[in-house]
Amino acid sequence: MQKKTEQVQDSLNKVVFYVSATLILLFSLVTILFNQQANLVITNILNWVSATFSWYYLLAATLYLVFIIFIACSRYGEIKLGPKHSKPEFSLLSWSAMLFSAGIGIDLMFFSVAEPLSHYMNPPVGEGQTFEAARQSMVWTLFHYGLTGWSMYALIGVALGYFSYRYNLPLTIRSALYPIFGKKIHGPIGHTVDTAAVLGTIFGIATTCGIGVVQLNYGLHVLFDLPENLWVQTGLIAVAVIITIISVASGVNKGIRVLSEINIYVSIGLLLFILMMGNTEFLLAALIQNFGDYISQFPKLSLTSFPFEQPKEWMNSWTLFFWAWWIAWSPFVGLFLARISRGRTIREFVAGTLIIPLLFTLTWLSIFGNSALHSVMFDGNTQLATTVLENPAHGFYDLLAQYPGFSFIAGIATITGLLFYVTSADSGALVLGNFTTKFTNIEHDSPRWLSIFWAIAIGLLTLAMLMANGVTALQNTTIIMGLPFSFVIFFVMAGLYKSLRLEDFRQASTSMNAAPVVGNVDIFNWKKRLSRVMLHPSLPQTRSMLNEVCKPAIEAVAAELITKGVHVDVQEKPVEDEPELYHLDLIIQLDEEENFVYEIWPVRYDTPNFSSRGKRAKRYYYRLESYLFEGSQGNDLVGYSKEQVINDILDKYERHMMYLHINRISPGTRPLFPDREN
C-alpha cells in the first residue's frame, strides 16, 4: 500500500535519551577519573552476578533458542513480517548476503585464535594440552558463536519486524510489549524497556570496539613498530569516532555499506589464504569433525553449568560473557535483520538467520582455530599458545606470521579490522539514535546530531573501559549490563506469543460460511464472468469503477450502519503515485474492540503480453484490491456490480465479527492494536 505524507515531525524521546545518556556519560567519566576504584567495583558486582545468575544465563539462553525454533516450526511460521500482501524487498541472494555480513566482525579475528588456544591450554575441566583438550576447545568455541547466540538475534528480529511491519508500531523494543501492557508502553514501562535496550546495546558495541582497538594496536605495532599502550589506543578511538562522525554527518552510509561489502570479500580471501597455504587436508578434516562434535554435543553443552567442578573464572571469561554479549547486541542486530526482512515469513527469517551467518562463522572459527592448534601441536610453536594466554590480542597476527607474505597479509587484516570497527560504531550510532527518537514513520532514521552524540558516547565508553582494566573490564561490564535486558527478552517472548494467538482467531474466522445472498447477485452470467476474467482495465476504466460502483457501495453500507447507531468513517484519499486515482477507506468503530477496516486500493501492474491490452503495447493495468487490517485479501473488485461489492464488504464484516467473538470467549486477554496507518 502507498504511504500518506506525514504531517507530524519526528521528535526526541526525551526520557529515554536523557536517562540513558546521563547514566552512560556519568559511568564513563567516573571510570576515567577513578579507574582503579571503578575496576574494583565492576569486579565485585561481577562476582555477585556470577554467583547469583550464572545458572540463569544458561537457562535463559537455551529457552530463547527453544522458543524461536518452536515459533518457526509451528503454524505461526507461515505468518509474514508485514501485512499478508507484503513482498520481500530484497532477492533471496541479496538478503542472504546481508545476513552473511551480519556474522562478520572484528571479534571473529580476535577470538578465532585466542579462544581455541585458551581452551586447549586451560580447559574448564580435564587436563590441558592433550588431543581431547584440542578437540573440545573447538567445540566450546563453536558453541559460543553458534545457534544459541544467533537465536537471540532471530528472536528480537522477529518481534521487531512483526509488530512494526504488521501493526505499524515503532521499531523499538517497547512495541513487543504492546500485547501485555497495551498503550502503557508509551509511558514509564516503555521508557524503562527502551533504556535497558540502549544501555545493553552501547555496552555491547563498546566491548566490540574495545576488543577491536586492542587488536588494531598490535597490528600497528607489528607493521609500524608503534607502542602498545593506552595513548595509541586513545588515538585509534579518536580516529574511528571522527570517521564515524563524518559518515553520519555527510550521509555517506552508502559508502560505508560498500566498505562493508569489501570487508566480506577480504574476509573470505583471508579464509581461503589460510586454508590453501596451511595444511589443507587437516583443516578440512578438522572442519567436518568440528561440525559433527558441535551438533552431537550441543544439547549437553547448552545446560552445562559445572556445579561440581566450579571453574568460575572460566565461566565468567567465556560462556557467561558470550551469552551476555549476544544479549547486549540483540537489539542492534535484531533491528538490522528486521529492516532487511520485511515481507519474509517468520520461518524464512528464522531459518535464514540461524543457518546462513552460522555456516560462515563456524567455518571461519574452525579454519583459523585449527590452524593455530596445528601450529602449536604439530609444528612445535608453543610460543603461540603462551603468547595468547598472556595477551589474546596478539594471537591472530602471530598466526599470520607463520605464513608467507606476512607484512602484506597483516596490512590487509589491519585495514579490514579498522573498517569493521568503523562500520560497527557507525551503524551502532544510527541504531542508538533510532532507539531514542519518536518517529512518525518506521522507515525514518534519527537526526544526524543524535547519531553523532552516540558515536562520541561509544568512543568515550570504550576508552573508559580500556582505562579500567582493558578487555577484562569490557567483558565483566558486558556480563553485568546484559542481565537487565535478558529479563526484557522474556517479556518480548510473552508479547510475541500472545499476539500470534490472534492469528489463530483470524484464521478460524475465515472458515465460517457467510449468509446466503438473496437474488443471486453474487453469481455472474457466464459470458460476463469470462469478460471480467479477461479484462485488464486502463486508468480511466479503473477510475470509472471507483466512482460508479465502489464508492456508492461503501457509502450505502455506511449509511445503513449509521441508521443503526453505528459510528462509521468513510475516507477518500489520493494515491501518491497515481494522482488521478484514490483509495476508499471504510472504518467501523467498535468501541473497546478492534475496529473493522475495509479499504479498496487501485494497484498498478505490468500488462501481460497475452492480453488484448498488452498486444496494443499498453504498459500497465489496474486491480481494485480489498484490504483489511492484516493486509490485502488478494481479490479483485474490477467488474463487480454495486451489490457484489456490498456483499464482499459484508462477508468481510461477518468474518471480523466472528474473529472478535472467538477472541472474546478465549481465556485470557488479547491486545487491541491501533488502526493501521497506510
Side-chain angles (χ1 to χ4, degrees):
M1 284 191 276
Q2 315 296 329
K3 302 177 187 67
K4 296 185 293 186
T5 303
E6 272 74 26
Q7 302 296 324
V8 184
Q9 295 291 318
D10 298 337
S11 61
L12 182 70
N13 190 325
K14 294 181 180 180
V15 176
V16 176
F17 173 75
Y18 287 123
V19 171
S20 56
T22 301
L23 290 174
I24 291 163
L25 293 177
L26 187 64
F27 178 89
S28 300
L29 292 174
V30 170
T31 304
I32 290 172
L33 296 174
F34 309 98
N35 49 76
Q36 292 184 347
Q37 295 89 333
N39 183 50
L40 182 62
V41 171
I42 291 171
T43 303
N44 290 334
I45 297 174
L46 171 71
N47 292 334
W48 177 78
V49 170
S50 176
T52 310
F53 293 100
S54 60
W55 64 271
Y56 164 77
Y57 266 118
L58 298 176
L59 181 61
T62 304
L63 291 176
Y64 300 155
L65 174 62
V66 171
F67 175 81
I68 198 63
I69 291 178
F70 161 73
I71 292 297
C73 295
S74 70
R75 59 188 179 277
Y76 304 126
E78 296 296 327
I79 297 170
K80 286 188 176 182
L81 301 180
K84 290 172 60 177
H85 61 278
S86 57
K87 299 289 189 291
E89 184 178 355
F90 304 100
S91 67
L92 182 61
L93 184 62
S94 299
W95 181 65
S96 300
M98 285 186 280
L99 289 176
F100 179 81
S101 68
I104 301 177
I106 196 169
D107 54 291
L108 276 182
M109 299 169 67
F110 186 96
F111 286 109
S112 59
V113 175
E115 184 169 0
L117 288 181
S118 296
H119 299 328
Y120 169 70
M121 299 296 288
N122 297 316
V125 293
E127 186 180 352
Q129 304 181 50
T130 63
F131 289 128
E132 182 61 23
R135 185 172 179 177
Q136 287 303 115
S137 72
M138 286 308 307
V139 176
W140 279 113
T141 303
L142 300 187
F143 175 66
H144 291 150
Y145 272 94
L147 284 172
T148 308
W150 284 102
S151 70
M152 301 179 198
Y153 292 172
L155 174 57
I156 298 299
V158 165
L160 289 175
Y162 178 79
F163 288 107
S164 296
Y165 299 135
R166 197 164 180 87
Y167 293 105
N168 206 48
L169 291 169
L171 202 59
T172 57
I173 302 299
R174 72 173 69 199
S175 296
L177 274 59
Y178 191 95
I180 301 173
F181 300 108
K183 294 181 180 180
K184 292 180 181 177
I185 66 166
H186 302 300
I189 293 174
H191 298 327
T192 303
V193 169
D194 281 349
T195 301
V198 170
L199 293 176
T201 300
I202 195 170
F203 274 94
I205 295 170
T207 300
T208 299
C209 292
I211 289 171
V213 164
V214 173
Q215 176 114 350
L216 290 172
N217 190 177
Y218 184 64
L220 294 175
H221 171 73
V222 170
L223 293 170
F224 307 109
D225 203 29
L226 291 178
E228 290 184 86
N229 57 38
L230 189 61
W231 289 108
V232 176
Q233 292 165 11
T234 303
L236 283 170
I237 292 172
V239 169
V241 169
I242 291 170
I243 296 173
T244 303
I245 290 173
I246 293 172
S247 167
V248 172
S250 58
V252 292
N253 297 322
K254 185 177 179 182
I256 293 294
R257 285 198 296 270
V258 170
L259 294 176
S260 299
E261 292 173 4
I262 294 173
N263 277 356
I264 294 173
Y265 298 126
V266 173
S267 301
I268 295 174
L270 281 174
L271 184 70
L272 294 175
F273 175 80
I274 296 296
L275 179 62
M276 298 302 164
M277 299 303 295
N279 191 321
T280 307
E281 182 181 357
F282 169 79
L283 293 176
L284 292 176
L287 173 64
I288 298 301
Q289 179 164 298
N290 292 157
F291 271 96
D293 287 344
Y294 172 67
I295 294 169
S296 63
Q297 297 183 41
F298 179 81
K300 181 183 72 172
L301 294 177
S302 296
L303 296 175
T304 298
S305 58
F306 300 109
F308 302 105
E309 301 90 344
Q310 295 194 356
K312 291 186 177 180
E313 185 177 348
W314 186 92
M315 285 290 288
N316 291 345
S317 300
W318 297 108
T319 304
L320 295 188
F321 162 65
F322 270 98
W323 286 177
W325 199 11
W326 283 100
I327 289 170
W329 267 77
S330 60
F332 175 24
V333 182
L335 177 63
F336 167 73
L337 297 177
R339 289 288 292 267
I340 66 172
S341 302
R342 181 170 187 168
R344 300 275 174 194
T345 66
I346 291 177
R347 186 171 296 127
E348 284 180 305
F349 178 86
V350 174
T353 303
L354 292 188
I355 295 172
I356 296 171
L358 180 70
L359 290 177
F360 173 79
T361 302
L362 298 192
T363 302
W364 174 282
L365 291 169
S366 180
I367 297 297
F368 277 89
N370 284 303
S371 295
L373 288 170
H374 187 276
S375 179
V376 173
M377 298 172 65
F378 300 109
D379 297 338
N381 188 11
T382 55
Q383 182 60 40
L384 177 60
T386 305
T387 301
V388 165
L389 291 180
E390 294 175 354
N391 199 329
H394 292 189
F396 188 79
Y397 284 96
D398 287 0
L399 175 65
L400 294 181
Q402 312 302 313
Y403 296 86
F406 170 62
S407 297
F408 175 75
I409 297 298
I412 295 294
T414 302
I415 294 171
T416 303
L418 179 61
L419 292 177
F420 275 137
Y421 175 55
V422 171
T423 51
S424 293
D426 177 77
S427 50
L430 289 172
V431 169
L432 289 168
N434 289 351
F435 281 160
T436 50
T437 305
K438 294 179 180 178
F439 293 113
T440 57
N441 188 302
I442 59 176
E443 297 183 1
H444 288 180
D445 282 321
S446 60
R448 291 178 182 175
W449 73 265
L450 190 56
S451 297
I452 292 172
F453 170 84
W454 286 118
I456 296 171
I458 291 170
L460 189 64
L461 184 60
T462 304
L463 177 61
M465 292 292 94
L466 290 175
M467 290 181 68
N469 192 20
V471 173
T472 302
L474 287 162
Q475 291 179 309
N476 295 345
T477 311
T478 301
I479 295 172
I480 297 168
M481 298 308 299
L483 186 62
F485 193 72
S486 69
F487 298 120
V488 173
I489 295 179
F490 281 107
F491 282 102
V492 171
M493 291 163 58
L496 181 61
Y497 183 75
K498 191 172 185 179
S499 184
L500 289 173
R501 288 283 292 132
L502 288 176
E503 306 293 341
D504 284 339
F505 303 155
R506 293 189 196 279
Q507 185 62 36
S509 68
T510 60
S511 63
M512 68 158 285
N513 294 318
V517 180
V518 180
N520 291 331
V521 297
D522 62 330
I523 299 178
F524 285 91
N525 173 284
W526 73 270
K527 292 183 179 181
K528 289 183 178 179
R529 183 177 177 183
L530 182 60
S531 298
R532 175 183 176 274
V533 171
M534 297 178 64
L535 179 62
H536 294 86
S538 64
L539 189 148
Q541 289 173 312
T542 305
R543 187 171 59 244
S544 176
M545 178 72 187
L546 280 169
N547 293 335
E548 299 173 10
V549 178
C550 296
K551 188 175 179 179
I554 283 181
E555 289 175 342
V557 173
E560 183 64 22
L561 287 169
I562 290 171
T563 63
K564 299 182 182 300
V566 180
H567 186 265
V568 182
D569 186 20
V570 176
Q571 299 176 356
E572 179 183 321
K573 303 176 184 177
V575 177
E576 287 186 357
D577 296 337
E578 299 287 352
E580 297 183 54
L581 296 176
Y582 58 89
H583 66 93
L584 293 164
D585 298 356
L586 172 68
I587 303 169
I588 301 176
Q589 306 287 343
L590 299 173
D591 296 330
E592 298 301 318
E593 298 194 55
E594 189 176 302
N595 295 336
F596 174 70
V597 180
Y598 182 94
E599 302 173 349
I600 300 175
W601 279 79
V603 184
R604 189 176 70 184
Y605 295 93
D606 292 332
T607 305
N609 293 329
F610 64 79
S611 69
S612 59
R613 184 170 175 78
K615 292 175 181 177
R616 297 197 305 271
K618 302 296 184 180
R619 192 174 174 185
Y620 302 114
Y621 77 100
Y622 297 83
R623 287 166 53 96
L624 290 173
E625 299 183 3
S626 62
Y627 285 72
L628 302 182
F629 182 90
E630 64 268 24
S632 173
Q633 300 304 291
N635 62 333
D636 182 15
L637 302 180
V638 170
Y640 276 38
S641 66
K642 175 183 173 182
E643 288 76 14
Q644 288 162 344
V645 173
I646 291 173
N647 191 50
D648 187 68
I649 297 171
L650 297 182
D651 278 351
K652 304 296 191 300
Y653 186 54
E654 280 191 73
R655 287 167 183 158
H656 186 72
M657 292 295 103
M658 177 59 70
Y659 156 71
L660 294 181
H661 170 72
I662 298 171
N663 188 11
R664 199 181 306 119
I665 64 175
S666 298
T669 58
R670 306 292 170 206
L672 174 65
F673 289 102
D675 292 333
R676 179 181 303 281
E677 295 290 333
N678 302 305

